Amino acid sequence: MQVRPQSAELDALAAARLRYKAALREAVQALRAEAASWADTAQACHVRIADAQAALREDPG
């Protein structure tokens, strides 16, 4: 059995994570639309290249 603690703080953290992922996806899409390289996109977003690429593959939910 797995225990899943619940609290307002954990809910707020989960919501913030979803907003971050959505913002990262939008930023990556915008930079790539302007023909920015993966390296430049990752640097501008302060993430690894693999994370920038993964942002485009994730379901916006």
Side-chain angles (χ1 to χ4, degrees):
M1 174 157 76
Q2 184 175 1
V3 176
R4 297 183 64 83
Q6 288 186 305
S7 71
E9 292 82 5
L10 289 174
D11 292 343
L13 181 60
R17 185 175 187 153
L18 288 175
R19 287 191 307 273
Y20 169 79
K21 286 183 171 190
L24 177 59
R25 183 175 37 262
E26 289 177 18
V28 170
Q29 287 173 339
L31 289 164
R32 295 295 292 163
E34 295 295 323
S37 69
W38 280 114
D40 289 344
T41 298
Q43 184 176 10
C45 294
H46 303 283
V47 297
R48 297 176 307 145
I49 291 172
D51 294 334
Q53 292 170 334
L56 292 182
R57 291 191 300 268
E58 291 184 6
D59 180 24

